[in-house]
């Protein structure tokens, strides 16, 4: 959001290895950027996040920092690794839009 506050409609979803769906309300779900990568245009993209789902905490990090797509809309998309403590427990795919300009520095 432009005011740097969490969206009140945030929620989390997790699928177990057996395919069981677990939903998390906004109060049980949070994302916090831990590390940024700066692209050639000067935009800072969060490439490592702390993700909290209920009582569980994970770190999600880009496996390759430079995964920016410069189409009509600049966005970051790519493969990420999922870690619990220091153990890698999975991989995923992440897309981010809305980064760039003065908002990035103001929201840190």
């Amino acid at each position: 959001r432009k005011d740097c506050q969490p969206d009140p409609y945030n929620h989390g979803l997790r699928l177990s290895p057996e395919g069981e769906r677990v939903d998390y309300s906004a109060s049980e779900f949070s994302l916090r950027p831990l590390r940024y990568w700066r692209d050639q245009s000067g935009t800072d993209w969060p490439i490592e996040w702390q993700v909290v789902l209920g009582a569980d905490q994970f770190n999600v990090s880009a496996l390759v920092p430079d995964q920016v797509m410069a189409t009509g809309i600049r966005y970051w998309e790519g493969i990420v690794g999922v870690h619990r403590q220091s153990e890698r427990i999975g991989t995923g795919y992440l897309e981010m839009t809305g980064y760039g300009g003065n908002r990035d520095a103001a929201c840190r």
Side-chain angles (χ1 to χ4, degrees):
R1 293 176 31 148
K2 289 181 181 180
D3 65 2
C4 306
Q5 296 301 308
D7 190 307
Y9 299 103
N10 278 349
H11 67 279
L13 165 68
R14 184 163 125 187
L15 296 175
S16 74
E18 299 77 34
E20 177 184 326
R21 178 183 172 140
V22 180
D23 289 287
Y24 297 90
S25 68
S27 65
E28 300 172 300
F29 168 73
S30 69
L31 291 170
R32 183 171 64 97
L34 300 174
R35 189 167 51 101
Y36 289 81
W37 167 77
R38 180 167 287 168
D39 70 17
Q40 62 187 356
S41 75
T43 299
D44 290 334
W45 298 90
I47 58 165
E48 184 174 0
W49 300 81
Q50 176 189 67
V51 179
V52 176
L53 293 170
D56 294 317
Q57 180 177 307
F58 307 92
N59 277 24
V60 175
S61 57
L63 297 183
V64 178
D66 185 356
Q67 298 184 82
V68 172
M69 301 297 290
T71 60
I73 297 174
R74 281 181 64 78
Y75 65 101
W76 188 102
E77 68 171 1
I79 190 166
V80 294
V82 181
H83 296 79
R84 182 180 291 136
Q85 297 172 350
S86 61
E87 178 187 3
R88 184 159 158 189
I89 60 170
T91 56
Y93 180 80
L94 175 66
E95 289 189 12
M96 296 183 283
T97 62
Y99 291 87
N102 296 332
R103 181 195 146 294
D104 294 340
C107 292
R108 283 198 180 187

